[in-house]
Each structure stands twice: as C-alpha cells, then as structure tokens.
Amino acid sequence: MNKKQTLQLRKQYIGPSLSLSYQEPLKIVRGFMQYLYDEKGKKYLDARNNVPHIGHCHPKVNKTAHQQMCVLNTNTRYLHDNLVLYAQRLCDKMPEPLKVCYIVNSGSEANDLALRLAWTYTKEKDVIVVDHAYHGNLSSLIHISPYKFDGKGGTGAPPYVHKVPIPDGYRGKFKYRNSQAGQKYASQIKDVLRGLKNNGKGLAAFISESIMGCAGQIVFPENYLMHAYQYVRETGGICIADEVQVGFGRMGSHFWGFETQNVVPDIVSLGKPIGNGFPLAAVVTRPEIAHSFDNGMEYFNTFGGNPVSCAVGLAVLDVIEEEGLMENARTTGAYLKDKLEQLQNKYPVIGDVRGKGLFLGIELVSDQRKLTPAAKLTAQIVEKMKEEGILIGADGPFQNVLKIKPPLVFNKDNADLFVSKLEKILEDLTNSVD
Amino acid sequence: MNKKQTLQLRKQYIGPSLSLSYQEPLKIVRGFMQYLYDEKGKKYLDARNNVPHIGHCHPKVNKTAHQQMCVLNTNTRYLHDNLVLYAQRLCDKMPEPLKVCYIVNSGSEANDLALRLAWTYTKEKDVIVVDHAYHGNLSSLIHISPYKFDGKGGTGAPPYVHKVPIPDGYRGKFKYRNSQAGQKYASQIKDVLRGLKNNGKGLAAFISESIMGCAGQIVFPENYLMHAYQYVRETGGICIADEVQVGFGRMGSHFWGFETQNVVPDIVSLGKPIGNGFPLAAVVTRPEIAHSFDNGMEYFNTFGGNPVSCAVGLAVLDVIEEEGLMENARTTGAYLKDKLEQLQNKYPVIGDVRGKGLFLGIELVSDQRKLTPAAKLTAQIVEKMKEEGILIGADGPFQNVLKIKPPLVFNKDNADLFVSKLEKILEDLTNSVD
C-alpha cells in the first residue's frame, strides 16, 4: 500500500483520538538500533523514542523471544523458571526492601496495580500528584494525571486527587539558584496533607515520576523527593515512583530515576523500555504491602509474566549490562548536554537545558526574563529536524520543551549530528524571526 | 532448577495474591498444540486454557512474530500497514455498525477503554452488570465485577454499579423449560432501570460476557440479550459485549458470542485468544461512539497496535480460517457435549451439561432436586483429571462447574479420552462416596 492508502484505512478503521506525529505523517517500515527508515528508504535518527531502549529490533531480544515462543508461552498458574528468575533479577536491581514483583503488560497496568496496592494497604483513597504529570491511559490513571484531566476533553481532578505544583527550578516559584528549592517545593505537599487532616482524611499515596516527562523533562531540585517522602510517610501514606519513562539505566548515573534523588519508594512501577517494545511492565514493592494485598482476592493477569515476556525482560537486562548502555547514557548524555549548553550561550531562545543521562530537555523561550514560551518555534524545530532526518518530540505545559530520549545506543556522532542540525535550524528560524 | 527451587523463588519474589493451579503445582516446560509437558516429560491434554486458541506455540504465529520483530516494532504515531490491515480485518468480522478499532494489550485494558467510551459517549456513570461476572483485574474492572467485589477481599459494589441476577436456566429463578426465561431475566434489568430513573439517574452501560465464564459457563436463554439491549437502549445506555473469553470462533456456530444471541452490541471488547498468548487485545465500536471519544483527549497506548502485535493478530485470524477451527469447535464441541450428556444419564451427580462449541460446562450437584453444589467432588475431579494427564478448571458461584475451553485444535480423540477419563474418575469417586 502507498502512504495515502494506509492513511485512508487508518482514518476509516482506527479510533480518531489517536493522532499521528508530524504535519506530514511518516510511514516507518524498518528500524535498527537508533535508526528508523521510511517507505522510501529515508533514514531517521530516532531521538524521541525511549521504548526501543537497547535499540530497535535488537537481535538478542528477537532471538530470545522467538526461541521461547517456540517452546512454551502460557500463564502463571504453573511454575516456570523464567518468571521467578526475572522477578529475582528485577528485585536484585532494587534497593531493600523492594523485593516483591508483579509482572504485567503495560506501564498503565503497572500504575493501576500500584494504586490498588496503595489503596488496599493504607485503607485510604486520597492521592497526591504533581501538576502536569501523566501516569497512563486507564480510567483510574486519567484521574491522577493532571496532563489529562486538566487538558482538552478533561473534567478536572476528582475529589480524592490533589495536585502540587511542578518542582521546576526554571519556571516555578523556587529557582535553580535557591539551594532550599527542594525542601520548599516539598513543603507544598505538607500544605496539602494539612488540608486533608483538617478534613479528617488520610492519604493513600503520593505518586511521582522520578524525572517528569510530559511536564517537560523536569529534574527535581535536590532533596525534593526526600522531604516529600518524609512528609507523606508521617501521615501514613505511601510513596510510588513511576519509573515507566526513565528507568533501566537511562539516567546514566543510576539504574533508577529515584536513586538520583537518594530515596527508596514503597512501590515502583516499570514499563516502556523494560521489554524494548514487547508488551511488558512490572510493579515492585515491599513484602509488607504485597502481603496486605493478599487479602483473599486473587491478582491474576492473563498474559502478564508469561515465559516469553520474562525471557524478553531478561534479555533486555543482559544487553544493558553487556553493552554498557547505562555508562553510554552517562557519557553520551553528558557530552550532548554540554554541547547543548554551548548552543544555549549562542542562542538566547534556549532558555534552559536540563535532564540526566539520555533524558534531556531544551526549553525554548522568546524572552529570557519573562520566560515567554516559544511554542510555535518549538513545533517548527520538530518539523525541520524531521526534514533533516532527526526525530524529536515536544512537550511541557506550554509545548515549548524539546524532548530528547533516544535508544541508549545513541552515540557521540549522533549527538554531534543532532547538535549541528539543531544549530542550523535555530540559525535559520531565529534569523528569519528577526 | 528443580521444581522445589522454582517454587521457593516464586514464594520469595512473586506477589502472593497469585495462586498456582493444583494442590501439587505443575512445572510446565513445553507446549505444542493442545498439549503441555512438565519438567519430567509427562504429557497433559490442555482442556482448560482458551488463550492458546489455535494451539500452543503455533508455528505460523511464531514465524510471523519473529519476522516482524526483526524488521520493525514501534508505536502507532507513525503509519504502518499492519495496524490498518488488522483493524480492517477485525472490523470485517464484525456486523455493521461496529467498524472502528482500538488496539490494546490485554482484555482488561480493552474493558477499561470500553467503559471510558461508554462514560464519555453517554455522559452518565452508572453501569449494570450481571452477578458473578468477571471483567478484568484493573481497579475500574474490579468495581464492575461481582466475582471480585463480592468475593474474598472485596468491598461490595460501588454506588454506580448495579447487579442483575445470572440468567441461569439451571439454577436461577426461570428455568430452561420456561420459554419466556430470556425475557423474564431481561425484565430484571428493566427493574434496575426503573430504580435509576426514580433516583434521577441515567445509565452509561450494560456490560455482559456473551456466555459467562467465571459465573460457570452460563449460556443465556434465548432472547435474553435482545430484550436486555432493547431496555438499555431505551434509556440511552449502551451495550458492551465482553468477548474476551468466548470470541474468535470458539462458539462453533458463530465467530462471536453475541451473534448466538442475535444482537449487535455498541462496543465489543476482545482479548485472551486474539493473539494466541501474545499480549494483544482490542475494542471495536460504532463510529458515533468513537467520534464522541475524540473530544481533544488523546488515547495513546505505548505498545498497543504495534506492528508485531498486529502481525500476530493477523496470523491468528489466518490460521482460524485456514485450519477450519471454528468448524472444528462446532463439530468437536457438539461431539463432546453429546458424550457428556450420555454421561449425565449415567451419573446423577452431573446436574447440567451446557455451553456452545468448545466452551462447555459440567455442573455437579449432590442432589438433583435441591441442586446442592458438589464443590468438593468438583475439586477432586480436577485433581484426578490432572493425574490422568488432563487439565480442566472449575468455577462458578459455588465452585462446582467443570470448565472445558481447550485450544480449538482439540479433536475427537481428545474428546473420547476426556470423557473416558472423566467417567473412570466419576465411577471411582461417586462409588467411594456411597
């Protein structure tokens, strides 16, 4: 089929609330490592997709999946080594006391289960979320995702969900230069907790991404989660780290995002990169919480934890280690960030360069003091980069943050190409604006 | 690892609310077609698992999945032929006006999306469910699953969820012999609707499996869904058919369960057999409902609808057609049911034999008039059948229904073996009871 036919069938048969990337959509027919190829053979550097974590179509994952599919794929009502070895391996990657696992099929299923665990364990319902957070596409997760419930088609926060401001050192109330910013943002959680107490309510959970994605690649100020977790735990609430976007070594310095904040959550939810695109996700928690959930109601997940999913999960962990991908995220991420900061010195439209490892954000503003979001320019850059053969996304409350989160095989040559193309486009677009 | 070690690691690392089948759990290491093999090479006829629909480890599915995994696996923000061809193929299997598709990762994700569609379209919240129904493991689905919310660890129905009795011609208020049973059971829905109206409330949806699984393989009396749908639609509610257990030709006579009731739902949710074990599921609905859901809020599913999932889905549909599996469900199902009915004549403990195609139930009672559930005997039979190399499950509100739902490659020899083993066990157990 040609592109037009594919597009026509998509319009006819696929729910219209799923939009395509780019003004002129891409038809992608091949992928390998950090590259995608369209139907005409044009090559794109993929700097926007954190799901193919170890590289598109990694041979080791494909071989492992195929071998296991040819031997057995059944549910978890029988014993199988893959399930227990994978759970053990995931738990080994976690600090104490995070040593009990549930294997599911998507980050959304993981976050919903995390909520169920929190609700059951605390016997409370209320949840604190960070503004503009996104935690998944299920009904329960739309309810705790300001990105959705405050966005188009949304109907606001349900009564049991309480927002706290984004702890954003660039655009928020407390700036990077404020060494107490982490504690000050966390004290906004304390205010919510006080309000709950005054209304005779307890707290089930505080849920937060470890670095925020849809909110615009927000790195929390030092000690934010430490203080936040302390306040939450003082009221009997539990702390959920949503690692769906940033886990598995992407941070470079640490395997998990929460480790960069020096905290240990009560529940961690995992997704996207965990299976390199295979539908796989997981929840890891403390034994105490897992046991409270074992109240007589079974938690059975038809596909979750099957031998194929677990084989894939094991292969992904193998490859991250064998190929030194976390170290590459650290070095290539630092190299790229440094080059972007150099660009920032030349182009005042770059208001902020932030992020960790290979999870970076570039915030674009038309006025450096007023922080006026340059949303139109951001969208133009995304389109121009595509023309130049580089795929990046844009997000944030004002759609003015370029998001960089490539497969972890992204290398220094890719970084050089990325920066040189971005500079050329900035040169063209910001000159034409003047 | 030996079985003991696997079990020990499972106890250590896997959430304890996931139980194993059988008193002495099985360690299954291989599967092919309708057979599973344990770590000692013992062969089991799998008569309990409706997920490996076209047979465990079907070569065509494995080959297709592997080929696509080696070429491309990415998300639905780009055009890809597999997504649109699969959506078209699924819609072609559906009656008008069910012609818009959403591809997701599990039956639970499908049912949650079905609810979101219903809530958005009707702008109402209330849902009518059939007693003892199970619709999935997500928080929103526990809320509409009496099997869960009335079971151990459950906290009852939320205020917006309303139960109607199981339309059970064997054990319910209106019996098989009552030619008006369908309408009479449906009128219990009318009663709920009247109650809602009196409270100034509308209805979002009536959701029902087309043949009930966890409720004990309940075949609805003729015209039940026809009248139910009529009453529901008169109030502006929509009708959701949960085909997760019974779709894709298992009924033998029809490709979908709802077709056996001669109705067209507004939303159909699909899961389990759809990918032969690959995490895949779908929702199909009317364009009008899909458009109402397109209210500005994106529905994006990270893994859902990727080229690999869709390739698998297409291969499963191919095999069902190429191998005549629906026809086999019809003929082998009828053959097996006939033999079970002959057994019923010999063993008064068999109170009822029911079901369609290869989705059958055997209800065991210790008193044919009082319908006293023979739960202990049922559990014993499940264990003894396992010893004899046959895997079946038990379910129903009283845990006294043997459930037969094998891969559709189940043949007449398998049926003969099944019945002869069951007869031997019934002979032994019911004699020893006397």
Side-chain angles (χ1 to χ4, degrees):
Chain A
M1 282 194 292
N2 65 37
K3 196 165 158 179
K4 209 172 149 186
Q5 289 168 312
T6 311
L7 186 61
Q8 197 272 324
L9 284 181
R10 179 160 165 139
K11 280 184 180 157
Q12 187 174 351
Y13 290 110
I14 299 292
S17 41
L18 173 65
S19 65
L20 285 157
S21 292
Y22 302 111
Q23 284 170 1
E24 168 65 30
L26 287 173
K27 181 166 178 174
I28 297 294
V29 298
R30 268 192 172 275
F32 194 69
M33 295 297 121
Q34 64 272 53
Y35 305 106
L36 290 170
Y37 302 84
D38 72 12
E39 83 286 8
K40 289 176 180 163
K42 183 174 173 181
K43 180 180 178 178
Y44 296 89
L45 174 62
D46 186 356
R48 77 182 285 167
N49 198 344
N50 54 341
V51 174
H53 193 62
I54 60 173
H56 287 280
C57 299
H58 196 289
K60 179 155 183 168
V61 166
N62 296 347
K63 191 178 164 194
T64 304
H66 186 238
Q67 281 176 343
Q68 186 58 52
M69 281 183 88
C70 291
V71 172
L72 179 69
N73 186 19
T74 191
N75 66 49
T76 52
R77 293 296 194 193
Y78 309 120
L79 293 169
H80 197 279
D81 290 348
N82 288 9
L83 174 67
V84 301
L85 291 173
Y86 185 51
Q88 182 182 40
R89 187 89 175 269
L90 269 184
C91 289
D92 284 349
K93 289 279 184 192
M94 293 280 168
E96 288 288 349
L98 296 167
K99 297 296 172 188
V100 182
C101 235
Y102 301 82
I103 315 286
V104 299
N105 306 300
S106 67
S108 287
E109 285 195 352
N111 277 332
D112 184 82
L113 179 55
L115 286 177
R116 288 190 60 201
L117 287 163
W119 287 326
T120 304
Y121 178 70
T122 63
K123 300 187 178 69
E124 299 286 349
K125 176 77 179 174
D126 288 60
V127 178
I128 297 177
V129 299
V130 183
D131 203 3
H132 218 78
Y134 176 57
H135 296 293
N137 58 39
L138 298 166
S139 54
S140 61
L141 304 176
I142 301 297
H143 288 159
I144 62 160
S145 296
Y147 178 68
K148 288 290 185 185
F149 67 62
D150 285 340
K152 280 183 199 162
T155 52
Y160 64 90
V161 175
H162 314 279
K163 278 188 303 184
V164 291
I166 305 176
D168 177 355
Y170 178 65
R171 188 175 283 281
K173 193 173 170 187
F174 310 108
K175 305 295 182 189
Y176 289 139
R177 61 179 177 274
N178 185 335
S179 65
Q180 300 301 306
Q183 185 162 6
K184 285 177 187 287
Y185 280 116
S187 75
Q188 296 176 322
I189 295 174
K190 217 173 178 174
D191 297 340
V192 172
L193 292 168
R194 200 174 296 122
L196 281 172
K197 200 179 168 190
N198 291 343
N199 288 315
K201 284 179 163 183
L203 181 74
F206 165 67
I207 182 169
S208 162
E209 298 163 89
S210 300
I211 290 193
M212 298 185 76
C214 292
Q217 312 291 85
I218 301 292
V219 181
F220 296 147
E222 211 180 342
N223 299 329
Y224 173 66
L225 285 185
M226 197 187 74
H227 290 293
Y229 280 19
Q230 187 197 321
Y231 300 146
V232 165
R233 284 168 174 159
E234 279 167 7
T235 69
I238 65 159
C239 301
I240 303 172
D242 179 342
E243 291 273 334
V244 169
Q245 291 272 2
V246 299
F248 292 92
R250 179 167 295 278
M251 300 289 94
S253 59
H254 299 80
F255 204 75
W256 306 116
F258 64 78
E259 293 173 306
T260 67
Q261 282 270 312
N262 208 19
V263 292
V264 178
D266 301 295
I267 301 176
V268 181
S269 54
L270 307 171
K272 291 194 190 289
I274 188 173
N276 209 45
F278 193 96
L280 173 62
V283 174
V284 187
T285 190
R286 299 193 271 122
E288 203 187 344
I289 292 174
H291 285 117
S292 80
F293 193 61
D294 186 25
N295 61 2
M297 189 186 288
E298 281 282 311
Y299 180 81
F300 174 67
N301 188 307
T302 297
F303 306 133
N306 71 67
V308 177
S309 296
C310 292
V312 166
L314 283 163
V316 170
L317 289 174
D318 284 343
V319 171
I320 293 171
E321 286 168 19
E322 287 161 12
E323 299 188 8
L325 295 181
M326 182 165 126
E327 175 62 13
N328 184 61
R330 193 179 67 79
T331 53
T332 306
Y335 178 81
L336 175 57
K337 196 177 175 194
D338 183 60
K339 290 206 118 190
L340 292 172
E341 282 164 350
Q342 289 171 35
L343 219 57
Q344 185 181 14
N345 293 331
K346 281 176 76 175
Y347 297 89
V349 76
I350 300 183
D352 194 27
V353 172
R354 58 183 176 247
K356 284 185 184 288
L358 282 170
F359 197 75
L360 300 173
I362 306 169
E363 179 151 358
L364 301 173
V365 291
S366 56
D367 184 311
Q368 286 265 15
R369 274 176 309 171
K370 294 183 191 159
L371 308 184
T372 319
K376 194 180 153 197
L377 177 72
T378 308
Q380 285 173 325
I381 291 172
V382 168
E383 293 289 339
K384 293 273 179 197
M385 286 291 270
K386 181 198 104 173
E387 285 169 27
E388 296 288 341
I390 298 178
L391 306 178
I392 51 166
D395 222 322
F398 307 102
Q399 288 291 320
N400 69 323
V401 181
L402 294 170
K403 288 168 75 171
I404 306 168
K405 46 189 178 82
L408 294 195
V409 288
F410 195 86
N411 60 35
K412 285 185 183 171
D413 287 346
N414 298 145
D416 287 338
L417 183 75
F418 183 96
V419 175
S420 73
K421 294 291 186 190
L422 179 61
E423 176 159 20
K424 180 175 166 291
I425 291 167
L426 280 172
E427 190 69 36
D428 291 352
L429 287 176
T430 52
N431 277 345
S432 71
V433 165
D434 291 342
Chain B
M1 283 192 291
N2 65 38
K3 197 166 158 179
K4 210 173 149 185
Q5 290 169 312
T6 311
L7 187 60
Q8 196 273 323
L9 284 181
R10 180 161 164 138
K11 280 183 180 157
Q12 187 174 350
Y13 290 111
I14 299 293
S17 41
L18 173 66
S19 66
L20 286 156
S21 292
Y22 302 111
Q23 286 170 0
E24 169 64 32
L26 288 172
K27 181 165 178 174
I28 298 293
V29 299
R30 268 191 172 278
F32 194 68
M33 294 297 120
Q34 63 272 53
Y35 306 106
L36 290 170
Y37 303 84
D38 73 11
E39 82 286 9
K40 289 176 180 163
K42 183 174 172 182
K43 181 180 177 178
Y44 296 89
L45 174 62
D46 186 356
R48 78 183 282 167
N49 198 344
N50 54 341
V51 174
H53 193 62
I54 60 173
H56 287 279
C57 299
H58 196 289
K60 179 155 182 169
V61 165
N62 297 346
K63 191 178 164 192
T64 304
H66 186 239
Q67 282 176 342
Q68 185 59 52
M69 281 183 88
C70 292
V71 172
L72 178 69
N73 187 18
T74 191
N75 67 48
T76 51
R77 294 297 195 192
Y78 309 120
L79 293 169
H80 197 279
D81 289 350
N82 288 9
L83 173 67
V84 301
L85 290 174
Y86 185 51
Q88 181 182 41
R89 188 89 174 270
L90 270 184
C91 289
D92 283 351
K93 289 280 183 191
M94 294 280 168
E96 288 287 349
L98 296 167
K99 297 297 173 187
V100 183
C101 234
Y102 301 82
I103 315 286
V104 299
N105 306 300
S106 68
S108 287
E109 285 195 354
N111 276 333
D112 184 82
L113 178 56
L115 286 178
R116 288 189 60 200
L117 287 163
W119 287 328
T120 305
Y121 178 70
T122 62
K123 301 189 178 71
E124 298 287 350
K125 175 78 180 174
D126 287 60
V127 178
I128 296 177
V129 299
V130 183
D131 203 4
H132 218 77
Y134 176 57
H135 296 294
N137 58 40
L138 299 166
S139 54
S140 61
L141 304 176
I142 301 297
H143 287 160
I144 62 160
S145 295
Y147 177 68
K148 290 289 185 186
F149 67 61
D150 284 340
K152 280 183 198 161
T155 51
Y160 64 91
V161 175
H162 314 278
K163 279 190 300 184
V164 291
I166 305 177
D168 176 354
Y170 178 65
R171 190 175 281 281
K173 192 171 170 188
F174 311 107
K175 305 295 183 190
Y176 289 140
R177 61 179 177 273
N178 185 335
S179 66
Q180 300 301 306
Q183 184 161 8
K184 284 177 188 288
Y185 281 116
S187 76
Q188 296 175 322
I189 294 174
K190 216 174 178 173
D191 296 340
V192 172
L193 292 168
R194 200 175 296 119
L196 282 172
K197 200 180 168 189
N198 291 342
N199 288 315
K201 284 179 162 182
L203 181 74
F206 165 68
I207 181 169
S208 163
E209 298 164 87
S210 300
I211 289 193
M212 298 185 77
C214 292
Q217 313 290 87
I218 302 291
V219 181
F220 297 146
E222 211 180 343
N223 299 329
Y224 173 66
L225 285 185
M226 196 187 75
H227 290 293
Y229 281 19
Q230 186 196 323
Y231 300 147
V232 165
R233 283 168 174 160
E234 280 168 7
T235 70
I238 65 158
C239 301
I240 304 172
D242 179 341
E243 291 274 334
V244 169
Q245 292 272 2
V246 300
F248 292 93
R250 180 165 295 277
M251 299 291 95
S253 59
H254 299 81
F255 203 76
W256 307 116
F258 63 78
E259 292 173 306
T260 68
Q261 282 270 313
N262 208 19
V263 293
V264 178
D266 301 296
I267 300 177
V268 181
S269 54
L270 307 172
K272 292 193 191 292
I274 188 173
N276 209 44
F278 193 97
L280 172 62
V283 174
V284 186
T285 190
R286 298 193 271 122
E288 202 185 345
I289 292 174
H291 285 117
S292 81
F293 193 61
D294 185 25
N295 62 2
M297 190 186 287
E298 281 281 313
Y299 180 81
F300 174 67
N301 188 307
T302 297
F303 306 134
N306 71 67
V308 177
S309 297
C310 292
V312 166
L314 283 163
V316 170
L317 289 174
D318 283 345
V319 171
I320 293 171
E321 286 168 20
E322 286 161 12
E323 300 188 7
L325 295 181
M326 181 165 126
E327 175 62 12
N328 184 61
R330 192 179 69 78
T331 53
T332 306
Y335 177 80
L336 176 56
K337 196 177 174 194
D338 183 59
K339 292 205 119 193
L340 293 172
E341 283 164 349
Q342 289 171 34
L343 219 56
Q344 185 181 15
N345 293 330
K346 283 176 73 177
Y347 297 90
V349 75
I350 300 183
D352 194 26
V353 172
R354 58 183 177 247
K356 284 185 184 287
L358 282 169
F359 196 74
L360 300 174
I362 306 170
E363 179 151 359
L364 301 173
V365 290
S366 56
D367 184 312
Q368 285 266 15
R369 274 175 309 171
K370 294 183 189 158
L371 308 184
T372 320
K376 194 180 152 196
L377 178 73
T378 308
Q380 285 173 324
I381 292 172
V382 168
E383 293 289 339
K384 293 276 180 196
M385 287 290 271
K386 181 199 103 172
E387 285 169 28
E388 297 287 341
I390 297 178
L391 307 178
I392 52 167
D395 222 321
F398 307 101
Q399 288 291 320
N400 69 323
V401 181
L402 294 169
K403 288 167 74 171
I404 306 168
K405 47 190 177 83
L408 294 196
V409 288
F410 196 85
N411 60 36
K412 286 185 183 170
D413 288 345
N414 299 145
D416 286 338
L417 182 75
F418 183 96
V419 175
S420 72
K421 295 290 186 190
L422 179 61
E423 176 159 19
K424 181 175 166 292
I425 291 166
L426 280 172
E427 191 68 35
D428 292 352
L429 288 175
T430 53
N431 278 346
S432 69
V433 166
D434 292 340

